[in-house]
């Protein structure tokens, strides 16, 4: 299959240097950028433990909240919009938002690490 795409000059120069190894390099890159499994998390202790283990960038990019956590966050966000959150629920929502922020920061850092490898 032939694919034609435009890339920045800097990347194009690197790709040209690969020569006939370009298909192999692309296969590896695609494999690294598309995780085959997700790593579900339910609470902040799981995220802290995972991040403290210094996982690979690919592992970090595979982190996803569990369906139960997603549902709870959606419920709290909806109740927050309608102004019906209790104080304990506000604290819970703030904790989940901080947890999501941690994961986003870790993913941004992981993505940046992968970009410097290419």
């Amino acid at each position: 299959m032939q694919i034609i795409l435009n890339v920045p000059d800097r990347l194009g120069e690197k790709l040209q240097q690969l020569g006939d190894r370009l298909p192999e390099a692309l296969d590896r890159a695609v494999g690294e950028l598309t995780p085959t499994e997700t790593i579900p998390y339910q609470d902040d202790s799981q995220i802290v433990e995972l991040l403290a283990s210094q996982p690979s960038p690919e592992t970090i990019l595979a982190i996803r909240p569990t369906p139960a956590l997603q549902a709870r966050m959606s419920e709290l966000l909806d109740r927050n919009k309608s102004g019906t959150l209790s104080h304990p629920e506000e604290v819970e929502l703030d904790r989940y938002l901080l947890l999501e922020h941690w994961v986003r920061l870790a993913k941004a850092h992981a993505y940046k690490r992968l970009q410097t490898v290419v």
Side-chain angles (χ1 to χ4, degrees):
M1 174 186 295
Q2 181 178 3
I3 298 175
I4 299 172
L5 53 116
N6 293 316
V7 296
D9 291 341
R10 189 180 115 256
L11 178 58
E13 290 169 8
K14 288 181 179 182
L15 294 175
Q16 280 183 328
Q17 291 174 358
L18 291 173
D20 61 349
R21 294 184 53 214
L22 179 59
E24 175 190 351
L26 289 173
D27 188 47
R28 285 184 186 181
V30 169
E32 289 178 4
L33 293 176
T34 52
T36 56
E37 70 178 82
T38 61
I39 299 172
Y41 68 89
Q42 181 66 36
D43 61 27
D44 48 356
S45 64
Q46 289 175 320
I47 289 299
V48 169
E49 185 177 321
L50 175 64
L51 295 178
S53 72
Q54 298 181 345
S56 69
E58 296 81 11
T59 299
I60 292 171
L61 293 174
I63 296 172
R64 301 281 184 272
T66 62
L69 179 58
Q70 284 180 323
R72 180 62 177 157
M73 288 177 67
S74 292
E75 177 186 341
L76 292 172
L77 288 168
D78 289 343
R79 293 187 57 195
N80 187 47
K81 282 183 185 177
S82 66
T84 60
L85 272 184
S86 67
H87 180 69
E89 289 172 327
E90 286 179 25
V91 171
E92 181 183 6
L93 178 59
D94 286 344
R95 196 178 92 238
Y96 288 146
L97 292 174
L98 180 59
L99 180 62
E100 181 181 354
H101 181 69
W102 288 349
V103 172
R104 286 180 187 218
L105 286 174
K107 286 185 176 194
H109 183 71
Y111 184 74
K112 185 177 178 182
R113 283 177 50 201
L114 286 174
Q115 292 300 309
T116 59
V117 172
V118 174

